[in-house]
Amino acid sequence: MNRDWKSFKRVALMGGVLALGACSSKQYSDAPPTEDPQVFQGEGTVSQTEPGQLRFTLRADRLYRFDCTPVGMLGCKAQLRDGVTLEPIGAPWSSGTQVQHLTFFWKQATAGDVVLDIESASEQQPGGVFTYELRETQDDAGDALDQAVLQPVTDQQTSFNGFLEHAEDVDRWRFGVPANHTLAVGCTGPTNSVAPAFELIRPEGTSLTADRAAWFQSLGIRFLAAKTTGGDAIDLRVRVSGVYEANSVPYTCTVQDVGVDDFGDTPSEATVATVPAQLSVHFNYSSDVDVLAVDLVEGHAYQLLTVSAQGTPPFYIGTTVVNAQDTQRWPKLVSDDKGATFTAPTTGRYFLALERAWDGGIWKWEVPKTFTYKITDVTP
């Protein structure tokens, strides 16, 4: 995957053409096993006055992938034409001049000839040689429940590549995660401003995270994450994002099993802490809640403090205090690096529901995050 790709062109989808192409190292499966897939390979020449012209006889109702690698010219530009009338089918595809390789897809509606005109992507360097490959292919992952593609996931970050071949394409990947573990996934495109949207869902379709476009990655989006309660599978759904002009992008997704949740999410699962206490608190996903149980003394003041936090602008732990009877709540206290003070109205057990808080901005979606949290009796 070339991450220095700086240029995409808008595609008008006409005739049988479905997709804008782009550079990708993704490997695609062959055509159905009942017949050998069509594969064409060769070399062509582009002059200063004439494009390189290629003619192919193709099958009906097939997805085709065309790869062009220029030699001695800056990028490839390709125009698909009807094999009889030579009328253009859709708008041309161009790699731009930042990437040497061009890949694009189209769905061939009828059997017959097509022509591809190949030019240099740069008018300043109009001539040169190119090599090409045209082959039948299939979508790398489907959107339906039975079309999800299983991907391995471990406690180490691993990556895999995908490709949204056209504007309506949706890819669905599936991960098996043990019970009470958190799956973290982040998907990026070839540049900070061109990337797909992605979402974690249950196989039957229930959303576990907000649908986010990763093109904000330079501002802080890295991962979406969700916890499994019963060890069920989690699906990742990747689609074209509407926030940029390209109709299709290659993408890379990084996935990790973050592990068992460090603290329970409810008072019944709370971890008992003895004051004074200093704990490492890790929020595995954007809505993660870690609950601590503490025994406090009536009239005593307790400082709730985030000792250190990662990220800019500053993140911190927000604390919601709940009494043991769950009849009184003290809303989220700003337990940042200055701390918040809570005075216990009665002696007894209290629950501290900890959540990741922030000063604002898109950075709130950057998870996971680890903090040090300190509880101290500061009664005068």
Side-chain angles (χ1 to χ4, degrees), residues 74-377:
L74 295 177
C76 287
K77 182 179 179 181
Q79 174 66 65
L80 184 66
R81 297 182 181 276
D82 181 274
V84 177
T85 66
L86 296 184
E87 289 296 318
I89 302 175
W93 294 267
S94 176
S95 67
T97 59
Q98 300 298 319
V99 172
Q100 294 301 299
H101 191 94
L102 170 68
T103 299
F104 66 89
F105 299 79
W106 78 89
K107 182 70 171 294
Q108 183 68 19
T110 60
D113 283 4
V114 297
V115 170
L116 272 168
D117 284 346
I118 310 297
E119 300 179 62
S120 170
S122 171
E123 294 182 356
Q124 284 71 40
Q125 196 173 15
V129 176
F130 64 93
T131 60
Y132 67 88
E133 178 181 90
L134 173 65
R135 66 164 53 239
E136 290 182 34
T137 187
Q138 291 180 344
D139 194 1
D140 50 353
D143 183 37
L145 180 65
D146 61 350
Q147 295 175 333
V149 175
L150 185 66
Q151 283 285 347
V153 57
T154 69
D155 60 356
Q156 301 296 314
Q157 284 191 0
T158 57
S159 298
F160 63 93
N161 297 330
F163 208 120
L164 297 170
E165 290 90 353
H166 56 87
E168 290 76 35
D169 190 24
V170 178
D171 287 349
R172 187 161 173 163
W173 308 95
R174 181 161 296 161
F175 308 93
V177 186
N180 203 37
H181 283 229
T182 297
L183 175 74
V185 180
C187 297
T188 58
T191 71
N192 285 343
S193 60
V194 178
F198 58 101
E199 179 184 17
L200 293 177
I201 62 174
R202 297 193 189 281
E204 90 286 351
T206 302
S207 178
L208 298 174
T209 64
D211 191 6
R212 298 290 166 189
W215 65 280
F216 276 121
Q217 61 181 287
S218 61
L219 300 179
I221 287 182
R222 292 296 184 272
F223 293 96
L224 296 180
K227 185 172 72 173
T228 60
T229 54
D232 300 327
I234 295 179
D235 284 4
L236 168 69
R237 185 162 58 193
V238 185
R239 62 175 180 81
V240 171
S241 172
V243 298
Y244 56 88
E245 292 186 354
N247 283 323
S248 178
V249 292
Y251 60 87
T252 298
C253 293
T254 301
V255 59
Q256 181 180 11
D257 179 351
V258 178
V260 178
D261 200 1
D262 50 352
F263 298 106
D265 299 344
T266 64
S268 63
E269 303 170 321
T271 298
V272 178
T274 302
V275 179
Q278 182 167 304
L279 307 97
S280 177
V281 177
H282 188 82
F283 295 113
N284 290 330
Y285 49 98
S286 58
S287 58
D288 192 11
V289 178
D290 289 343
V291 182
L292 304 176
V294 291
D295 294 320
L296 306 181
V297 179
E298 179 180 350
H300 281 229
Y302 299 89
Q303 184 186 49
L304 312 175
L305 175 70
T306 302
V307 178
S308 61
Q310 304 170 3
T312 302
F315 300 98
Y316 59 88
I317 292 178
T319 306
T320 298
V321 184
V322 185
N323 66 2
Q325 295 74 38
D326 197 18
T327 57
Q328 189 171 0
R329 290 173 176 262
W330 293 265
K332 188 186 297 182
L333 303 173
V334 181
S335 315
D336 56 11
D337 54 354
K338 297 178 181 179
T341 300
F342 173 75
T343 301
T346 60
T347 297
R349 173 150 293 187
Y350 293 82
F351 296 102
L352 308 181
L354 311 180
E355 298 176 73
R356 185 170 172 272
W358 54 87
D359 282 352
I362 194 66
W363 299 271
K364 63 188 178 182
W365 297 111
E366 187 176 0
V367 293
K369 280 296 178 183
T370 300
F371 303 90
T372 300
Y373 187 70
K374 189 175 182 181
I375 310 168
T376 309
D377 187 334

